[in-house]
Amino acid sequence: MSDVVEKTLSALPSLLSLDTQAGAGKLSPSSKLGNLIKGITELTSKHEEEKLIKKELESIKEQVASPNTTMRQMKEIMVRAIYCEMLGYQASFSYIHAIKLAQQGSVLEKRVGYLAVSLFLNETDEFLLLLVNTVLKDLQSTNLIEVCMALTVVSQMFPKDMIPAILPVVEEKLTHPKEIIRRKAVLALYKFYLIAPNQVQHIHSKFRKALCDKDPGVMTASLHIYLQLIKENPESYKDLTGSMVTILRQVVGGKLPLDFNYHSVPAPWLQIQLLRILAYLGKEDQGTSEMMYDVLEESLRRAEMNHNITYAILFECVKTIYTVHPKSQLLEKAAECIGNFVLSPKINLKYLGLKALTYVVQQDANLALPHQMTIIECLDHSDVIIKRETLELLFRITNAQNVTVIVEKMLEFLRLTCDDYSTIDLVGKVAELAEKYAPDNVWFIQTMNSVFSLGGDVMQPDIPNNFLRLLAEGVDNVEDRQLRLFAVDSYVSLLQGETAKLPQRFLQVISWVLGEYSYLREEESDPGSVMRLLARLLDQRHTSTETRSWVLGAMTKLCSSPVSVALARDVCERYSGSLNTVLRQKAQELMILSQDTKLRARVLPAESRLESLEVDSSLSFLDGYVSEALAAGAAPYKSPHQRQEDLVQEKALSLEPYGLSLPVSLSSCSITDRLSPTLLSMSSGLSGNSTELSHQEGSTTLKLEGVKRVWGKDGYLAQQQSACETPTPLVELPSPLLSPQTPPSQTQKPSSGLEPDQEKRQLASSLFVGLGSHNSVCLMGRVETAPRHFRRKPRGESSSGASEGSSDSSHSSRSAAVDNLLLSNLLDSTTVASEGGAASTTTPQQTSQRTLDHTTSNGNPLVEGTEQRVEAGGPLSLIRGNGMVAVVPPTHTQTDPQTQQDLHPAPALERRRDLSLTSHLPAELSGLARSEFTPLCSDQDSSLALSACRVYKEDALVLLVFISNNNDSALHQMALQLTCKELEISCISGSPLKEVKGHSVSVCLHTVVMKRASVQVELAGLLSYQRPLGQPQAAQFSLSLSLKHFLRPLTVSTGDYGKMWLSFSHDLKQNLRLVTTEHQEPLTATLDALKGKLHLHVVDIIGSEGIVACRLLQGPGQGQPCLLHCRVHADSLAVWLRSPVPELPDSLLYHCQKALTET
Amino acid sequence: MRFLLLFSRQGKLRLQKWFTPIPEREKKKITRDMTTMVLARKPRSCNFLHWKDLKIVYKRYASLYFCCGLDAEENELLALEMLHRYVELLDKYFGNVCELDIIFNFEKAYFILDEFLLGGEVQETSKLVVARSVEASDMLQEKQRLMEIILLFPLFFSCYHGGIHEQACILTTGGNGSTHTRRNLNDYRPGSLTTVQNHGVMSSRMMCLNLCPEAGRKCF
């Protein structure tokens, strides 16, 4: 018999090919999937399909639930479930069965199971945790196919947190004898790298090994990782350039096995991968670039076959050549190559040609010149995608002379497109061009009008913001007046027409501008006209509430004449009853201000609106209110960012509802004040101890901070010349047919004198004017020669100087408690904190250009509000470079009062030391509960002092050792060793500590967890160091840590508690003393005492019984639970402890006893 | 690559593969957008599109659209060729593949894809190697089936082995114990009747199972 089997098996391959041909065998009517599919195709309506699928899902549900279903049937069922899901119907009940199938099925069933899992579940799905074990088992299987499947599913989707569990096994597979396994393992690691780069950091050397693998497939796979690594940090991989070049040369030379050919091109995927890597390596690096010139040239030369794949390689090659340090000879060849693309009749190649051109004109705009006619043709191409790409190209070659034509083309496209995404993108580009190159006021306003009406409500909000700022910022000279007046005029005429179609954003812009600048035109028209137009806008149904509040804001500014006041009264009456609170508020304001002229003049002065406003961004005027509130027991303010962080930290155990976030409607109510809307960005940047309420109040006093725009698209913007500079007269448009300035290439075009051709030529001449080195306006000088009166005007130093002054003054008024000597240091530390991005300081996520300015000027008042003291005056920067000292960001120090409460009445000296050390707590730990500082040791002359502090983190105990150097001389060659055999200690402070400067403090962070539960452990430490000109010295110390430091509450439900209780084997019973207090039940009081002292979690108290749970920290993500069952028995507390580990109940009981006797 | 979608001219999804974690709702939206965008394209227009910040590359093969989403820096032409290679692989596996093959055997199409792409990156470009690794797993299935037959008909099998050409093999068994066999695998056509000449004890007219109704088979 056995030989029969063998013979038959030998026939298998052919049988296989048969099966593949008969693959459609599932069509046979007996197959259930076949039936289903047929059933669906016969249906005519969606409704019927729904009914059928519902029925099908019902039957699937029934079958999966039945215990008689075999795995084989399950596989078939799963396929049907996948089909139903693909049609868009939920089959969530089958997810768990898919996992089961992957777990329990034979190889084939497993494969379907894994497939179903990968299709059904998302990376974040909790079900995936159930899969980890299966994957682990399969990874270790001896069956290659199983290993392959596991690796496939692992690189498909894997929960980030579970990577450590399987990482060693996957890593092991890198040395597997089978190349397919090695390859999949490399790709799996690549995937891990993408989702959690830190976790694979230690295997970088193995990646190198994979790169040198004898199998080209494995090498190719490893390049994915390298591409990513090099992209992120090209500097550290420069040494690989040689190898990459060699590999590419071999590939191009056809040295790889034929297996790797694709349509007789050697390994195109590999080639392109290598070219991309080379581009990253050679970018802005002449030396490295020189190494690759030869091979790039060879690649260009070899890829000559007329096939898509060779064009793909060529395209990548061109991109690389233009990315690396330029070599003229290569550039020429690449440009020629681009020509082939652009001129190709194949539309895909044309598209890529345009793309390549877009890329290269950024370096040399002249490259577009030879292709002018093609570009013009593409501009009118029937395919929108080509059109869009052409506009992209034109955007890159825009200058002051062709801007009108190009913008016109762009707007034309915008009018036709209906795709939101490209609208947003293109509108932004038009706005940018208009702002940069606008030839005159009229054109600018008209263009922006089209931008607003076309961009509608989808465009980026900073377009209207920038526009309004531009209008507002100018000095009051004739030109700016003209611009504003023209804007007002055009808006008035717009509002007189049909307004129903105008987008809300545009209406908001209009109402702001009219509110601000209508007075400019008032002499020539009757005063109430604008007011009437605005009122009409209010009446229209399509006007949104937000717009209405803008309009009301504008009216508030306008109601000066009696006609307007009467109108305003009308409006007020209507809106003071509005359901919307913002509108009601606005109406009230309007009412009051329209009646009280004096008040109005004071609140909304007509002239000089921007200069005089002052902002106290620290909202110091609210300090009294805040301290009152704090005294009354209010929680200290936390910035939204900080709140989020806290939430994240508490995530696992937090039972609290989410904190309040800033009310959104605020933005709409503060926005219409007499300020440019751009200020909004500032008002959101408040922090410090202001409450949310203060936000509202403060918004009326915000001031426009002068922000200089130093860097523009073209690089450094030179200081604005005098603002009254007259617009540079347009360079006379050279007619290409007559002018000698015509680029020579243009004449190479077929010059049949047809009229359309003529038209195109004219278009070309207007589009490409300003390009070409021989042109009157040369490319390089373009930045300087462009008329620039529309560029955002830099605010003078005066305003920033003023803010400096104001912050200084507020400082002196409030800093009675702060030593002036420390000021420089504090300032220093603020900048340090903000540079390090440790936490939100004053401005959380504003444009970085602005932040630096703000933080330095606004930051100090905040610092002063704290009790922070930096012990020594030495510069911090050096230690910071070592990554050792983290300065507490000012916002965090609000925790101080709390921690101080924990302190026992301590001598003043100690208190000061604690305070000084507090400032050295790393930012990420400062919000957490921590112990007081324990002095460890100090040497005789107390020049060196060590202190320790425990921070109770959720998943570990962090032990901080503070090394304070009180001497003038620095400490060198520092090394801190902590040893204890019962503990697992790991250093987390990054690079090892080397030196501590004189008069400074540095911190070492260690996470500590217990290996085995024990009542108390002794930690031995040794610090070795050397003073300059001294012998190596050492300081020994010891620190005892008790079990309670490693206990954390375990939040479980009563139900889970019950289950766990039954599953734990080690138990212990004991009677304990009951704590009695006046106003509490003895049981509650006792449990509260335990909870407070030992970080336990009281799960439930029912009558005279209470259940309590806790866990002992043990490595990341692990912990040993311990459950306590307490019952009041006579006048003692009977405690029953259970845990899966024998030592834990013992030691915990000891601490319980101790804790209760102490109270 | 971010995702790969296969859908029919009617916009029915035939296969979907997501290489980066995307919430379910977003997936639905992408699928909807892709079908409307791609189906609206005129023939002979460019194969590349934009969707948000993604590049979309699509290609139509007979009644089926293959559509994938790429990151900004990826090469469109290469993606196009990758789609083509996938079609070639399907073609090799199914033999003149058609939409129905993929509808009815979509799990096979997924397996092939898994051998070709891993985590959105091309892992194996060789047609042969991919085919081999897909078959290696399929092989197990056949082994299982064959073992069952052997156990059912030990007697027949021994004669069969003695008499018939080595290439012949058993396809499946009928209800009444008659065995359908087929001789030359290369000239197999679904629905055809093949008489197998036997030299040994067994000599009967044997039938090939009709595995695929000719009507349903549309070829590219």
Side-chain angles (χ1 to χ4, degrees):
Chain A
M1 194 67 205
S2 65
D3 63 333
V4 172
V5 177
E6 224 175 80
K7 284 271 183 187
T8 322
L9 287 183
S10 68
L12 267 175
S14 45
L15 190 141
L16 255 175
S17 62
L18 171 136
D19 180 70
T20 58
Q21 279 224 335
K26 290 266 164 60
L27 257 182
S28 63
S30 60
S31 142
K32 282 180 180 158
L33 177 71
N35 273 342
L36 175 65
I37 294 171
K38 266 194 197 145
I40 289 170
T41 46
E42 280 158 15
L43 295 177
T44 46
S45 74
K46 184 86 187 159
H47 179 67
E48 280 177 74
E49 182 188 297
E50 233 162 74
K51 243 169 51 189
L52 185 81
I53 299 281
K54 263 217 185 101
K55 224 176 79 198
E56 181 74 19
L57 285 176
E58 281 305 313
S59 94
I60 292 177
K61 204 170 189 172
E62 214 170 274
Q63 286 175 51
V64 290
S66 147
N68 298 327
T69 314
T70 62
M71 277 299 149
R72 195 132 172 229
Q73 285 163 321
M74 192 66 100
K75 171 185 145 197
E76 196 268 316
I77 292 168
M78 214 40 80
V79 172
R80 272 188 291 154
I82 297 176
Y83 191 80
C84 293
E85 279 255 331
M86 187 154 65
L87 288 178
Y89 299 88
Q90 275 269 314
S92 45
F93 60 86
S94 58
Y95 297 174
I96 188 74
H97 296 280
I99 291 176
K100 222 165 94 189
L101 188 64
Q103 224 158 54
Q104 299 166 1
S106 70
V107 181
L108 283 160
E109 290 137 22
K110 210 180 246 303
R111 187 160 70 152
V112 175
Y114 273 136
L115 175 67
V117 167
S118 71
L119 289 172
F120 289 158
L121 300 184
N122 227 326
E123 229 142 289
T124 49
D125 219 302
E126 283 178 359
F127 272 133
L128 273 185
L129 298 181
L130 299 173
L131 198 70
V132 174
N133 232 343
T134 317
V135 168
L136 201 57
K137 205 181 79 205
D138 286 337
L139 280 175
Q140 286 158 332
S141 159
T142 48
N143 186 337
L144 283 188
I145 292 174
E146 279 181 341
V147 180
C148 277
M149 282 193 290
L151 283 172
T152 307
V153 82
V154 154
S155 43
Q156 193 89 236
M157 40 137 42
F158 205 72
K160 198 173 168 184
D161 311 335
M162 286 294 131
I163 289 176
I166 56 160
L167 192 59
V169 196
V170 175
E171 227 181 296
E172 206 173 274
K173 295 286 176 264
L174 288 177
T175 51
H176 199 276
K178 275 281 182 196
E179 63 96 11
I180 185 164
I181 304 278
R182 289 203 301 272
R183 201 175 54 203
K184 282 187 196 244
V186 170
L187 282 170
L189 289 176
Y190 166 63
K191 198 75 190 180
F192 291 170
Y193 177 77
L194 288 182
I195 44 179
N198 296 332
Q199 289 179 346
V200 289
Q201 218 139 46
H202 62 286
I203 28 186
H204 281 195
S205 60
K206 295 203 175 157
F207 293 156
R208 290 229 170 195
K209 228 164 143 194
L211 184 66
C212 305
D213 200 284
K214 60 182 185 295
D215 183 82
V218 182
M219 185 267 293
T220 312
S222 76
L223 286 183
H224 292 303
I225 301 178
Y226 275 104
L227 180 65
Q228 206 61 33
L229 288 172
I230 292 172
K231 188 171 149 194
E232 277 154 26
N233 182 9
E235 287 311 315
S236 29
Y237 295 93
K238 296 279 184 192
D239 57 320
L240 282 179
T241 316
S243 332
M244 296 294 171
V245 168
T246 324
I247 298 173
L248 183 56
R249 184 166 294 131
Q250 285 176 357
V251 175
V252 173
K255 297 282 190 331
L256 283 186
L258 285 180
D259 247 8
F260 287 87
N261 280 9
Y262 176 83
H263 293 270
S264 61
V265 175
W269 276 271
L270 179 54
Q271 281 195 45
I272 285 173
Q273 195 81 352
L274 285 165
L275 285 168
R276 284 169 68 184
I277 290 178
L278 288 183
Y280 286 123
L281 284 172
K283 192 174 184 182
E284 286 157 11
D285 182 345
Q286 187 171 3
T288 315
S289 300
E290 270 163 10
M291 291 167 75
M292 53 186 82
Y293 288 146
D294 286 347
V295 77
L296 288 178
E297 198 180 343
E298 196 176 342
S299 292
L300 266 188
R301 206 182 57 238
R302 292 261 187 170
E304 55 195 3
M305 204 178 59
N306 191 10
H307 188 281
N308 263 349
I309 198 74
T310 47
Y311 282 114
I313 296 172
L314 279 179
F315 182 73
E316 212 58 50
C317 224
V318 168
K319 250 170 92 177
T320 306
I321 288 171
Y322 271 95
T323 312
V324 302
H325 190 271
K327 184 190 180 195
S328 58
Q329 196 190 343
L330 264 181
L331 291 182
E332 261 169 43
K333 282 192 177 149
E336 206 176 290
C337 206
I338 295 175
N340 289 343
F341 275 95
V342 176
L343 296 175
S344 165
K346 285 187 188 161
I347 189 159
N348 286 342
L349 297 184
K350 202 177 269 287
Y351 171 87
L352 286 179
L354 288 171
K355 245 190 141 116
L357 267 184
T358 313
Y359 189 75
V360 301
V361 290
Q362 291 173 55
Q363 297 198 6
D364 182 1
N366 290 329
L367 284 167
L369 287 176
H371 304 297
Q372 287 177 63
M373 291 318 276
T374 324
I375 293 170
I376 302 284
E377 270 162 28
C378 291
L379 210 46
D380 292 325
H381 203 279
S382 55
D383 194 340
V384 214
I385 301 295
I386 300 275
K387 256 193 204 171
R388 175 81 185 69
E389 210 50 51
T390 317
L391 289 178
E392 191 73 41
L393 170 60
L394 289 179
F395 169 70
R396 305 273 181 202
I397 57 168
T398 309
N399 55 36
Q401 291 144 59
N402 56 18
V403 65
T404 43
V405 194
I406 289 178
V407 165
E408 187 43 50
K409 286 279 165 199
M410 284 174 151
L411 291 176
E412 211 172 87
F413 181 87
L414 271 173
R415 284 187 194 104
L416 296 174
T417 188
C418 47
D419 166 31
D420 273 0
Y421 196 77
S422 61
T423 307
I424 295 172
D425 183 51
L426 215 52
V427 156
K429 287 188 168 138
V430 173
E432 190 187 329
L433 291 180
E435 198 179 300
K436 218 153 111 189
Y437 300 117
D440 57 66
N441 287 338
V442 181
W443 184 88
F444 178 67
I445 296 294
Q446 274 170 352
T447 308
M448 287 315 280
N449 284 355
S450 331
V451 164
F452 290 134
S453 42
L454 288 170
D457 295 318
V458 293
M459 69 183 160
Q460 299 286 349
D462 57 336
I463 297 176
N465 287 356
N466 284 346
F467 174 71
L468 293 185
R469 179 208 288 261
L470 202 135
L471 279 185
E473 266 179 0
V475 198
D476 254 348
N477 56 31
V478 182
E479 190 204 329
D480 281 323
R481 255 166 211 281
Q482 267 179 354
L483 177 66
R484 289 170 189 164
L485 183 61
F486 188 77
V488 170
D489 282 340
S490 82
Y491 294 154
V492 167
S493 59
L494 263 174
L495 286 190
Q496 278 160 349
E498 181 55 47
T499 54
K501 287 223 176 68
L502 296 179
Q504 299 300 319
R505 283 265 186 77
F506 193 19
L507 291 177
Q508 289 159 14
V509 167
I510 289 176
S511 42
W512 188 86
V513 172
L514 289 183
E516 283 297 302
Y517 301 116
S518 287
Y519 72 92
L520 288 173
R521 74 191 284 274
E522 245 161 50
E523 54 262 27
E524 52 190 278
S525 67
D526 78 301
S529 67
V530 174
M531 200 69 174
R532 263 196 295 281
L533 283 174
L534 288 174
R536 198 171 72 121
L537 209 55
L538 274 180
D539 293 339
Q540 267 158 4
R541 228 173 22 143
H542 56 81
T543 313
S544 74
T545 320
E546 202 192 337
T547 312
R548 284 206 171 109
S549 72
W550 282 72
V551 173
L552 284 173
M555 289 174 116
T556 316
K557 297 171 201 162
L558 289 176
C559 52
S560 51
S561 69
V563 193
S564 326
V565 173
L567 224 115
R569 197 167 306 132
D570 266 10
V571 170
C572 291
E573 267 163 31
R574 217 161 340 124
Y575 284 95
S576 52
S578 164
L579 284 177
N580 186 301
T581 47
V582 177
L583 283 186
R584 214 152 62 206
Q585 161 86 13
K586 288 279 156 198
Q588 283 300 332
E589 282 172 15
L590 175 57
M591 173 97 88
I592 292 165
L593 291 178
S594 66
Q595 280 156 9
D596 190 342
T597 335
K598 269 190 197 153
L599 181 65
R600 206 177 73 85
R602 202 159 64 88
V603 177
L604 301 164
E607 300 292 330
S608 68
R609 35 210 55 176
L610 290 164
E611 283 73 12
S612 59
L613 292 173
E614 256 193 43
V615 105
D616 179 2
S617 64
S618 68
L619 304 181
S620 58
F621 56 90
L622 282 169
D623 279 356
Y625 174 82
V626 171
S627 55
E628 252 172 53
L630 282 175
Y637 174 79
K638 283 181 177 171
S639 65
H641 164 77
Q642 202 182 348
R643 252 173 282 158
Q644 204 117 44
E645 221 165 56
D646 290 356
L647 271 181
V648 171
Q649 279 167 358
E650 285 164 12
K651 206 172 175 188
L653 295 172
S654 164
L655 296 170
E656 302 295 313
Y658 286 97
L660 290 168
S661 57
L662 284 173
V664 182
S665 61
L666 271 182
S667 59
S668 61
C669 69
S670 63
I671 211 164
T672 40
D673 289 319
R674 186 173 279 276
L675 302 160
S676 156
T678 39
L679 288 179
L680 260 192
S681 57
M682 283 202 50
S683 62
S684 64
L686 299 167
S687 71
N689 43 11
S690 56
T691 54
E692 281 164 18
L693 188 68
S694 71
H695 190 131
Q696 273 172 336
E697 293 172 22
S699 60
T700 50
T701 53
L702 286 181
K703 131 182 119 171
L704 182 66
E705 191 70 41
V707 178
K708 249 192 272 181
R709 191 174 169 200
V710 185
W711 289 95
K713 182 169 169 281
D714 306 299
Y716 187 77
L717 306 178
Q719 269 286 336
Q720 173 84 12
Q721 294 99 337
S722 97
C724 16
E725 155 196 64
T726 46
T728 317
L730 274 182
V731 179
E732 74 293 2
L733 283 179
S735 162
L737 296 174
L738 308 172
S739 140
Q741 293 163 350
T742 319
S745 53
Q746 228 178 302
T747 46
Q748 289 166 8
K749 292 275 149 216
S751 53
S752 52
L754 293 172
E755 263 181 44
D757 217 42
Q758 195 99 15
E759 245 170 59
K760 278 185 184 168
R761 261 152 205 280
Q762 245 151 23
L763 183 59
S765 70
S766 46
L767 276 179
F768 296 96
V769 66
L771 297 185
S773 51
H774 49 297
N775 222 318
S776 55
V777 181
C778 89
L779 182 76
M780 298 318 285
R782 178 169 120 213
V783 182
E784 260 56 58
T785 50
R788 238 179 313 155
H789 53 131
F790 282 107
R791 187 160 306 151
R792 199 156 304 139
K793 274 139 195 149
R795 304 276 298 149
E797 267 89 56
S798 61
S799 71
S800 68
S803 81
E804 209 88 58
S806 76
S807 61
D808 269 349
S809 62
S810 72
H811 155 82
S812 56
S813 65
R814 298 171 52 244
S815 61
V818 180
D819 271 340
N820 265 328
L821 279 173
L822 294 177
L823 179 65
S824 63
N825 224 318
L826 289 169
L827 272 172
D828 199 332
S829 64
T830 337
T831 19
V832 167
S834 61
E835 272 170 17
S840 69
T841 47
T842 40
T843 44
Q845 5 98 336
Q846 301 314 314
T847 38
S848 53
Q849 288 177 350
R850 296 175 204 174
T851 23
L852 201 70
D853 226 30
H854 286 309
T855 37
T856 42
S857 59
N858 302 336
N860 31 5
L862 289 172
V863 181
E864 290 140 21
T866 72
E867 289 187 84
Q868 185 184 23
R869 264 162 228 238
V870 175
E871 198 176 53
L876 293 165
S877 55
L878 199 129
I879 309 175
R880 192 164 55 84
N882 250 335
M884 277 302 147
V885 169
V887 182
V888 177
T891 43
H892 281 284
T893 39
Q894 282 140 7
T895 49
D896 270 0
Q898 291 167 329
T899 46
Q900 275 162 30
Q901 280 164 14
D902 295 339
L903 292 176
H904 301 292
L909 186 79
E910 197 166 318
R911 202 181 159 91
R912 179 170 301 162
R913 193 199 61 220
D914 283 359
L915 283 174
S916 70
L917 290 176
T918 314
S919 63
H920 292 280
L921 269 178
E924 70 271 17
L925 297 177
S926 60
L928 297 167
R930 60 169 175 82
S931 71
E932 54 213 81
F933 297 93
T934 334
L936 291 174
C937 71
S938 59
D939 55 5
Q940 301 85 349
D941 51 348
S942 68
S943 61
L944 174 80
L946 293 177
S947 326
C949 169
R950 301 179 298 272
V951 176
Y952 303 114
K953 249 175 85 177
E954 177 45 49
D955 56 349
L957 180 75
V958 181
L959 185 67
L960 290 90
V961 179
F962 294 84
I963 304 160
S964 334
N965 182 7
N966 299 332
N967 209 327
D968 286 325
S969 55
L971 297 173
H972 292 290
Q973 296 183 340
M974 308 259 302
L976 181 68
Q977 265 187 331
L978 298 176
T979 42
C980 179
K981 61 178 189 299
E982 289 100 338
L983 297 177
E984 208 176 304
I985 304 164
S986 51
C987 183
I988 53 170
S989 43
S991 57
L993 179 70
K994 282 278 160 51
E995 61 171 2
V996 181
K997 279 260 175 181
H999 295 295
S1000 64
V1001 178
S1002 73
V1003 195
C1004 291
L1005 282 83
H1006 296 269
T1007 53
V1008 187
V1009 289
M1010 272 195 166
K1011 285 182 195 157
R1012 295 181 70 206
S1014 52
V1015 173
Q1016 190 147 14
V1017 292
E1018 211 55 38
L1019 179 80
L1022 179 73
L1023 176 79
S1024 54
Y1025 60 95
Q1026 191 172 9
R1027 294 261 179 212
L1029 313 167
Q1031 289 293 314
Q1033 285 174 297
Q1036 280 186 339
F1037 58 90
S1038 73
L1039 181 69
S1040 68
L1041 295 167
S1042 98
L1043 178 80
K1044 63 181 183 187
H1045 300 144
F1046 298 95
L1047 289 179
R1048 296 289 177 272
L1050 177 67
T1051 340
V1052 289
S1053 66
T1054 314
D1056 291 340
Y1057 181 95
K1059 276 181 217 153
M1060 284 163 83
W1061 181 265
L1062 292 176
S1063 63
F1064 294 163
S1065 46
H1066 299 279
D1067 61 353
L1068 193 70
K1069 286 183 198 170
Q1070 180 92 35
N1071 280 356
L1072 293 178
R1073 203 173 71 89
L1074 267 176
V1075 179
T1076 43
T1077 52
E1078 286 144 24
H1079 44 269
Q1080 263 185 317
E1081 290 268 338
L1083 178 65
T1084 327
T1086 315
L1087 293 186
D1088 276 354
L1090 286 178
K1091 181 184 170 187
K1093 295 215 165 170
L1094 299 177
H1095 307 283
L1096 306 180
H1097 172 66
V1098 180
V1099 180
D1100 210 347
I1101 299 178
I1102 308 156
S1104 61
E1105 284 181 68
I1107 49 177
V1108 181
C1110 71
R1111 64 192 166 95
L1112 176 69
L1113 292 175
Q1114 212 144 56
Q1118 298 166 20
Q1120 295 295 352
C1122 188
L1123 307 179
L1124 290 86
H1125 178 265
C1126 312
R1127 179 195 206 110
V1128 181
H1129 193 73
D1131 51 358
S1132 65
L1133 185 75
V1135 182
W1136 190 358
L1137 296 98
R1138 269 201 181 186
S1139 171
V1141 278
E1143 309 88 350
L1144 189 52
D1146 267 329
S1147 357
L1148 183 59
L1149 191 64
Y1150 170 84
H1151 281 286
C1152 289
Q1153 265 170 340
K1154 209 171 143 204
L1156 292 179
T1157 28
E1158 271 168 16
T1159 39
Chain B
M1 198 194 312
R2 300 285 190 87
F3 59 83
L4 175 71
L5 300 175
L6 266 66
F7 47 83
S8 71
R9 226 168 21 180
Q10 290 77 34
K12 285 247 187 240
L13 194 60
R14 296 300 180 209
L15 188 139
Q16 53 174 339
K17 190 91 191 172
W18 308 89
F19 298 110
T20 47
I22 297 172
E24 207 54 45
R25 233 221 250 125
E26 179 81 2
K27 282 185 188 172
K28 290 241 163 77
K29 182 175 164 36
I30 292 178
T31 316
R32 213 174 37 239
D33 284 3
M34 286 307 117
T35 40
T36 42
M37 255 169 75
V38 169
L39 291 177
R41 301 280 295 161
K42 292 195 198 85
R44 303 174 62 87
S45 48
C46 184
N47 290 88
F48 314 129
L49 293 170
H50 291 277
W51 186 84
K52 301 218 168 155
D53 53 344
L54 291 187
K55 289 173 173 177
I56 308 299
V57 175
Y58 75 94
K59 185 151 191 193
R60 182 178 160 177
Y61 287 91
S63 57
L64 213 52
Y65 282 91
F66 289 65
C67 170
C68 61
L70 310 176
D71 281 317
E73 70 262 34
E74 281 180 88
N75 191 317
E76 292 99 330
L77 273 181
L78 195 69
L80 206 56
E81 289 313 295
M82 193 216 68
L83 293 181
H84 188 69
R85 175 46 46 115
Y86 183 44
V87 174
E88 283 179 344
L89 286 167
L90 290 173
D91 204 53
K92 188 173 164 64
Y93 184 83
F94 288 107
N96 212 353
V97 69
C98 69
E99 192 186 336
L100 281 178
D101 286 325
I102 293 171
I103 296 174
F104 284 96
N105 297 292
F106 63 88
E107 84 275 19
K108 296 260 166 57
Y110 275 118
F111 295 146
I112 297 171
L113 187 62
D114 280 344
E115 288 306 319
F116 176 47
L117 299 177
L118 197 61
E121 301 287 350
V122 172
Q123 71 158 320
E124 180 55 71
T125 51
S126 159
K127 257 200 275 195
L128 263 176
V129 177
V130 174
R132 222 183 289 144
S133 39
V134 174
E135 279 169 9
S137 326
D138 278 350
M139 187 112 86
L140 286 160
Q141 190 165 13
E142 296 314 316
K143 197 153 78 183
Q144 223 173 3
R145 203 193 288 175
L146 210 61
M147 287 309 287
E148 279 164 27
I149 295 169
I150 293 165
L151 291 175
L152 266 173
F153 304 100
L155 181 73
F156 163 71
F157 205 85
S158 53
C159 342
Y160 161 79
H161 167 65
I164 313 176
H165 191 266
E166 284 220 337
Q167 272 261 308
C169 63
I170 302 156
L171 251 185
T172 181
T173 57
N176 55 3
S178 66
T179 310
H180 309 293
T181 63
R182 202 172 60 69
R183 193 157 174 195
N184 192 344
L185 299 163
N186 294 327
D187 58 26
Y188 167 78
R189 286 287 171 273
S192 63
L193 288 173
T194 317
T195 310
V196 180
Q197 297 294 319
N198 282 336
H199 309 291
V201 199
M202 290 276 290
S203 172
S204 66
R205 198 160 158 269
M206 299 191 183
M207 199 188 82
C208 256
L209 261 197
N210 183 352
L211 291 169
C212 170
E214 203 67 51
R217 213 173 162 85
K218 274 185 223 150
C219 294
F220 289 126

